[in-house]
Amino acid sequence: MELTAIRQRVMANTQILQNLIPPTVSYITQGNVLIIGPEDLARLAAEQLSQMASLVILATDAITSQDDEHLEKVMNSAVNVECFYNKIIDIKGFLGQFQVAVEQGETSAPLSVVAIRKPHFDMILDLSQSPCLNLEMLPPGYFYVGYDQAQLALALAEIPELVGEFDKPRYVKVNADVCAHNRNGINGCNLCLNFCPADAISSQDHKIEIDPYLCHGAGSCTNACPTGAISYDLPNPQSLLTYLQKLIGRFSDEANIAPVVMFHDNKSEDSQLLQQLAGDVLPIALEEITVAAIDHWFAALAFGARQVLIMQTDTTAPTLTQMLSGELALANRMLTEMGQPERISLINAKELDALDALLAVSNDWPVIAPTQIAVGTKRSVLFSAIDHLNSQAGAISTIVPMANVPYGRVNVNLDTCTLCVSCVAICPTQALRDGGDLPALRFTEQECVQCGLCEAACPENAISLTSQVNFDRNSRQALTTIKEEAPFECIRCGSAFATQSMVHKMLDMVGAHSAFSANIERLKMCGDCRVKDMFEDILQDPEKQLR
C-alpha cells in the first residue's frame, strides 16, 4: 500500500509538458450520411437516422429474409430514402469529405453528386459483412458495424452528434531536412510507409506527406523512422523523455526501489489499471503504445527503471503489434549481447492477472545505476542509453552483425572511388562528410541509418552497406577518414581543381580517344586555363574559327 501511495503522489506531481495550443485540423459536416449494406438492414438503420440532413442507401444485397414480420417492418422503414444498387469502385476521404465512386455503365460516377447533388458525403455507416475500406484504422466518420447490433447502436447514437465543426490534433510532424526517404529522385527509406495502419502516409513528389485528417496518431511512423524526421507532437519526443526521467527519478528516490514502466494506450481505464497493478509499476498513458519508441524504452532503463512493459489490447492494430514485435526482438537482443536481462516485454491486457510472476523475476535482476541523458536526436538518446546499460553489464566493445536494422557502416571500394562526394551530398544525416578544403571522405557510424541513398547515388558503384550494432562507443562516434588524397593541381596555373583519382579516370576513359588525343593536356587544366588554352590555340590558327 505504501508503494501505491508513493506512485499516486509522484504521478500526480509529475506532468508531461505539452504545447497548450497544439496545432489542429478541422472537420466540417452537415449531416449527409451514406449507408452501405444489405437493403433491409440499411433501411432499418436509416429509419433511426431520420433527423440527418440527407440519407442515401447503397445496397450490397437485396432483401433476402422471408419472414413476413421482418419484411413488413423493412417496407415501412425509410420509405423516402433513395436506394442505389451500383457496384462500389472506390471510397476515399474522411469525416465531412467522403467521396464514393460507383460503377455506372462502362465508367464510374460520384455517388454523392448523383444522389444528393453534393461533392461528398459527411459520414458513412457500413453494415456490410466485411468493411468496404480495407484498413486497420478506418477514417474518422466511417462507422463499420457489420452485423454487430451493439456496435450499430453505438454508431446510431454517435452519428447525429457529428454535425458541425470539430477539431482534432495534428499528432505528428515531418522534418524533411533529415528525412531519408528520397533525395535527388533516388529512393531510400520507406519504413514509415510500411507501417501506417490508417494509410495516412504517402510519397508525394518524392517527399513523405502525412494526411492529418486520416492520421489517428498511431505513432508507428515515428517509432519506425530511423532519423527522427517524423516525430510525435503530443507529446513530442523530448517532452516524453524529460517526463520519464523525472517520473522514474522521483519514484526511485521516494520508494528506494527501481520501478517498472508500463506504456499503455489512453483508451484503457486508468483507474482499473491502478487497482490491479503492483505499487512499483508506473503506468504511462499514450495516444497509442507505439508513441514510445526504442529510444524511450532504453532511456527508461538508463534512468533507473528495472523493466519496461508495453501493454497491447484487443484493439491494438495488427500492424502496430507486428512492428513492436520486431523492435522488441531487436532491443532485447542488444540487451542480451551486452549481458543485460531481457528487460523489455510486450504484454496483453488479459495477462495483467499473471503480471506478478513477471515482476517477481525482474526483482532479482541486477540494479541499474540511474544516469542523466541529454535531450537530443533520436539516435543520440538511444545510443547514450545503450552505452550506459552496456557499462552496467558486460561493457562489451564488439560489433554484432544484424540484418535489416537501421544501424551500421558504409563500405567504400577505395580503388574505384574518385572522391566525387555524391554520397556526401545525398546523405540525410551527415554520416558521410567531405574533407573541406582537401579531397577526403569521412564517416561517423552512429549517424548512419542504412537508408541506401549513398549506395544508389554513387556513380562508380563503389559503396556497399553493412548492417550491424557497434557497442564500442569510441569507434562508433568517431569521425573516421575512409579515403583522402592530394588534390590534382592545374598544370598551367597550379591551382587545385579536382581529385587525383578523378583526373586519372578521365585520362583513362577519354585520353586515348582520337577526338582528345591532340588536346590531352587540357584534361589536366582547371576550367579557366582550359578556356584560355582553347582561345590561344584558335588565335594561333585562325582557320579553326571557320571549322
Side-chain angles (χ1 to χ4, degrees), residues 27-57:
Y27 300 93
I28 300 176
T29 72
Q30 298 175 335
N32 302 305
V33 181
L34 172 66
I35 304 176
I36 304 174
E39 185 179 352
D40 51 349
L41 300 181
R43 286 197 176 279
L44 293 174
E47 181 67 22
Q48 300 182 64
L49 292 172
S50 57
Q51 71 272 46
M52 304 307 294
S54 70
L55 293 167
V56 175
I57 292 174

Side-chain angles (χ1 to χ4, degrees), residues 123-127 138-139 141-145 155 158-159 162:
M123 287 163 273
I124 294 178
L125 176 60
D126 190 349
L127 307 174
L138 294 167
Y142 192 104
F143 297 86
Y144 173 69
V145 301
E158 188 174 349
I159 286 173
L162 290 178

Side-chain angles (χ1 to χ4, degrees), residues 268-444:
S268 303
E269 293 293 334
D270 289 354
S271 58
Q272 295 179 7
L273 283 171
L274 291 173
Q275 290 173 7
Q276 296 182 58
L277 295 176
D280 56 349
V281 178
L282 304 177
I284 298 175
L286 301 169
E287 186 71 26
E288 288 285 350
I289 51 178
T290 39
V291 172
I294 190 171
D295 51 322
H296 295 110
W297 305 342
F298 274 99
L301 296 175
F303 293 149
R306 72 176 190 268
Q307 191 174 9
V308 171
L309 306 176
I310 299 102
M311 190 187 78
Q312 61 179 341
T313 66
D314 292 339
T315 61
T316 303
T319 294
L320 303 188
T321 301
Q322 176 190 0
M323 191 205 67
L324 282 172
S325 298
E327 287 289 275
L328 259 72
L330 170 61
N332 281 320
R333 182 178 175 189
M334 286 193 282
L335 288 170
T336 300
E337 290 288 346
M338 65 178 77
Q340 289 278 4
E342 294 188 359
R343 295 179 181 269
I344 308 173
S345 302
L346 180 65
I347 65 170
N348 194 287
K350 297 176 181 178
E351 300 171 354
L352 287 179
D353 293 338
L355 189 59
D356 289 344
L358 183 61
L359 298 179
V361 173
S362 67
N363 278 327
D364 297 328
W365 289 344
V367 176
I368 299 172
T371 189
Q372 303 290 312
I373 294 178
V375 172
T377 65
K378 181 176 183 176
R379 296 179 79 80
S380 67
V381 168
L382 172 62
F383 281 113
S384 292
I386 288 175
D387 290 336
H388 177 69
L389 295 171
N390 187 23
S391 71
Q392 295 285 299
I396 62 173
S397 58
T398 53
I399 295 174
V400 181
M402 295 186 188
N404 301 318
V405 297
Y407 320 106
R409 65 170 296 103
V410 168
N411 311 301
V412 178
N413 185 327
L414 301 182
D415 293 332
T416 56
C417 173
T418 62
L419 289 177
C420 69
V421 297
S422 296
C423 54
V424 173
I426 207 169
C427 180
T429 63
Q430 292 190 316
L432 288 167
R433 303 182 190 181
D434 60 26
D437 294 333
L438 296 175
L441 178 62
R442 293 174 178 151
F443 175 70
T444 305

